[in-house]
Amino acid sequence: MEVKFMENTLQCMQPLLGQVHKGEQTTEIRLPDAYPDIGKVIGCWGQVLIRGKEWRSGSVGASGGVMAWVLYAPEDGTTPRVVDAWIPIQCRWDLTDDREDGVIQLQPLLTELDARSLSARKMLVRASVETYAAAMTRQTVSLTVPPQLPEDVQLLKNSYPAELPMEAGEKQVQLDEAITVPGNLPPVHKIVAYSVKPAIAEQKVLGNRLVFRGQTDVEMTYLTEEGALHHWQAEFPFSQYTELDRDYSPNASAWVSPVLTAMEMEMSEGQLHLRGGMAAQYTIFDRAVIELVEDAYSPHRNVEIKKQQVEIPMLLDRMTMDIAVSSALSTDGEKVLWADAYPEYPVMATEEEPIVRLNGKFLVLAQNEEGQLYEESARYDGQEAFASESGNLHYLWLGNADQTEIFPNADGFSFNCRYPVTALTYSGIPMPMVTELDLGEMKEADADRPSIILRRVGEEGLWGLAKNCGSTVSAIQEANKLTGEAEEGQLLLIPVC
């Protein structure tokens, strides 16, 4: 007798991709006619913007660019000048299947930026960008539910409390801030460079709304009227919400990752105004209990089983680790004005134990005894142990570093900072699921068969003992006064059915 299990569908999001695209682009800058000739390039700074995302059958893509600023010392010895450039970037990632639509979540990192003079009137600017892409698509998971079966048929049912990605999207947020430089700093004459780094501090799911708050870290380098260079930074809080597709339970949670899409700093009559935009990329998780029938048998008849593997994109863990990085630089500088950290994307590595490794460099602006400005760099690396199982899918998200600390030493300076790295770990291991049974005819009882036998518990546990000995789990538990599993090696009475 063939018995087909009933179908029960589960709607959720399926992670498809977690890869880094590495790209390098260059552009030439020609000086405006009013600017003096290039004597020496002092330094180069920049910010990555993501302008668009694209999902095609078999691939996803992104477009944007790097806003770059180059500070140079003129050949005529006058005060330093700054010129800017836009370096376009394009990224594409191949998918493992031909899904037509989904959600793309990105994190771009500017890992290298430098400039050099090609002539007295022209510069070449080079930017290296690593862009991490996570792709998710709506998925219907088919689960099976057993129908009413004869009493002699035993089923191995397992329940898995699961946290599932249920919805993903993004909220466009406008940034609009009036900025006042503190009175203890000299007035701004010319903006050299600025950066905008949004960070999420808290996210909550309230019914059909996602509420999140955080702050935007703004850093600015500027020249005074006398040509002196200064660095200033501040934080601006924000709070936003977005409507979701449906109501969620009180157990629902969210993960929000911001990416900058636009920025512009204007100066008018000594006042600064920052305008920009960011995409708050989010994933909503909710809890459910997944019940699967993984095996079946009967002590009184032959049972043939049909199974299939089912992949359920459960969130196994969400963990944030702090990775400390440090380096040292030998310099003849009288002082270091500031240092910026340029990280590469963190990678999962397996040595004696799984670790997350983070490499990058500190970019240092220093000033020598003659008052000349120059730029140096120092490589760094850091790592942190990470508990991981093979076969799972890990999404790594890099947070903003805390402020770089600078310490003088005997040969120069030491630098250190800490980066938060959040790992979202999804199950990538298929699970067995019974879909159909073929039940044979009932067997006649064997008069010579013993009613009770003795067996030691092995790795198979009570289910394996019951199945191999023609008993049931409940009968073994009752005969041995057990409320759960027995210890391995324990001697048990096995009632034979």
Side-chain angles (χ1 to χ4, degrees):
M1 179 177 64
E2 289 187 355
V3 179
K4 292 186 177 181
F5 281 32
M6 297 176 290
E7 186 177 285
N8 186 22
T9 59
L10 174 68
Q11 303 290 332
C12 60
M13 301 296 292
Q14 174 69 47
L16 296 180
L17 176 74
Q19 294 180 4
V20 175
H21 176 278
K22 298 181 180 182
E24 181 179 300
Q25 295 291 334
T26 59
T27 191
E28 291 186 1
I29 303 176
R30 187 175 295 276
L31 296 185
D33 292 340
Y35 276 45
D37 289 350
I38 302 166
K40 177 186 176 183
V41 174
I42 297 173
C44 192
W45 300 270
Q47 174 95 50
V48 186
L49 304 178
I50 294 296
R51 294 284 176 79
K53 303 175 183 179
E54 181 184 42
W55 188 300
R56 292 184 177 179
S57 178
S59 69
V60 297
S63 60
V66 177
M67 292 178 64
W69 300 270
V70 183
L71 184 69
Y72 77 95
E75 190 176 41
D76 61 10
T78 55
T79 58
R81 301 292 201 278
V82 60
V83 290
D84 57 71
W86 172 256
I87 307 172
I89 57 173
Q90 295 282 339
C91 308
R92 187 155 297 280
W93 299 265
D94 292 331
L95 298 176
T96 55
D97 58 25
D98 295 329
R99 300 293 178 96
E100 295 292 336
D101 193 18
V103 176
I104 309 167
Q105 297 176 339
L106 302 174
Q107 186 175 42
L109 296 177
L110 182 60
T111 58
E112 295 276 354
L113 186 65
D114 56 63
R116 61 184 177 89
S117 59
L118 298 176
S119 67
R121 307 296 300 171
K122 191 186 298 184
M123 299 178 189
L124 181 71
V125 184
R126 179 182 66 91
S128 296
V129 178
E130 294 186 2
T131 306
Y132 180 75
M136 306 182 79
T137 186
R138 293 190 181 276
Q139 175 81 359
T140 300
V141 180
S142 294
L143 305 176
T144 57
V145 179
Q148 188 70 32
L149 294 169
E151 292 185 1
D152 62 293
V153 178
Q154 305 296 304
L155 299 178
L156 177 60
K157 296 180 181 179
N158 277 321
S159 297
Y160 300 93
E163 193 171 3
L164 302 173
M166 304 301 294
E167 181 181 339
E170 64 182 38
K171 163 75 172 180
Q172 298 296 326
V173 178
Q174 297 300 313
L175 304 175
D176 194 337
E177 301 289 348
I179 295 176
T180 302
V181 175
N184 61 332
L185 294 177
V188 178
H189 175 66
K190 177 68 175 179
I191 298 173
V192 174
Y194 58 95
S195 67
V196 178
K197 298 176 181 177
I200 303 299
E202 184 181 8
Q203 54 252 306
K204 290 182 179 180
V205 179
L206 302 175
N208 68 338
R209 284 188 174 187
L210 167 62
V211 180
F212 59 94
R213 64 178 183 86
Q215 72 279 339
T216 302
D217 300 326
V218 179
E219 295 191 38
M220 182 177 64
T221 305
Y222 68 93
L223 290 167
T224 66
E225 193 169 2
E226 294 77 24
L229 205 60
H230 286 269
H231 193 69
W232 169 84
Q233 60 186 33
E235 294 180 356
F236 299 93
F238 62 80
S239 180
Q240 294 283 327
Y241 76 90
T242 187
E243 301 286 342
L244 302 174
D245 290 347
R246 65 176 180 84
D247 284 324
Y248 287 94
S249 75
N251 294 321
S253 62
W255 168 251
V256 183
S257 174
V259 60
L260 203 66
T261 58
M263 68 176 194
E264 180 183 13
M265 183 87 78
E266 294 180 344
M267 186 171 65
S268 176
E269 299 179 354
Q271 294 295 314
L272 299 172
H273 203 116
L274 173 67
R275 293 185 179 88
M278 73 171 181
Q281 308 164 126
Y282 62 84
T283 304
I284 308 298
F285 301 92
D286 208 352
R287 296 181 184 177
V289 177
I290 309 297
E291 292 188 347
L292 298 177
V293 176
E294 299 180 355
D295 198 6
Y297 77 95
S298 170
H300 306 299
R301 68 175 92 200
N302 291 326
V303 177
E304 293 184 7
I305 306 171
K306 290 185 179 180
K307 296 182 182 180
Q308 69 180 38
Q309 301 289 323
V310 60
E311 292 190 24
I312 303 173
M314 295 184 288
L315 181 68
L316 301 181
D317 192 18
R318 176 168 45 192
M319 183 184 74
T320 298
M321 64 198 83
D322 283 334
I323 300 183
V325 297
S326 61
S327 188
L329 183 66
S330 298
T331 174
D332 59 354
E334 180 182 348
K335 61 180 179 179
V336 168
L337 300 181
W338 65 83
D340 288 333
Y342 279 65
E344 299 167 5
Y345 211 82
V347 295
M348 190 85 67
T350 302
E351 296 178 353
E352 293 183 359
E353 61 179 5
I355 61 172
V356 174
R357 178 174 289 122
L358 180 63
N359 299 325
K361 71 175 183 179
F362 290 107
L363 198 62
V364 180
L365 187 67
Q367 189 175 42
N368 62 22
E369 294 179 354
E370 288 75 33
Q372 295 175 327
L373 299 169
Y374 65 95
E375 196 174 60
E376 294 279 2
S377 64
R379 295 287 302 175
Y380 64 73
D381 62 80
Q383 64 182 43
E384 191 70 28
F386 178 69
S388 171
E389 295 183 8
S390 61
N392 291 328
L393 175 64
H394 306 284
Y395 283 2
L396 299 179
W397 297 96
L398 183 66
N400 296 335
D402 57 13
Q403 185 173 355
T404 301
E405 296 179 319
I406 307 172
F407 302 98
N409 58 38
D411 299 321
F413 295 89
S414 299
F415 313 93
N416 64 63
C417 67
R418 302 183 72 87
Y419 279 95
V421 178
T422 299
L424 303 180
T425 302
Y426 292 93
S427 172
I429 303 173
M431 304 167 69
M433 177 180 67
V434 175
T435 60
E436 188 175 334
L437 298 177
D438 190 354
L439 305 180
E441 298 294 328
M442 294 288 286
K443 300 176 185 177
E444 293 185 5
D446 186 354
D448 297 328
R449 190 175 186 181
S451 59
I452 291 181
I453 57 179
L454 289 173
R455 287 288 189 274
R456 290 194 183 276
V457 180
E459 294 181 356
E460 75 276 17
L462 293 185
W463 174 264
L465 274 178
K467 184 176 181 179
N468 294 330
C469 297
S471 184
T472 66
V473 171
S474 59
I476 297 174
Q477 289 176 327
E478 184 178 351
N480 296 273
K481 295 181 171 47
L482 297 173
T483 56
E485 276 290 337
E487 295 181 4
E488 187 172 346
Q490 184 177 350
L491 189 63
L492 298 179
L493 295 171
I494 310 295
V496 179
C497 298

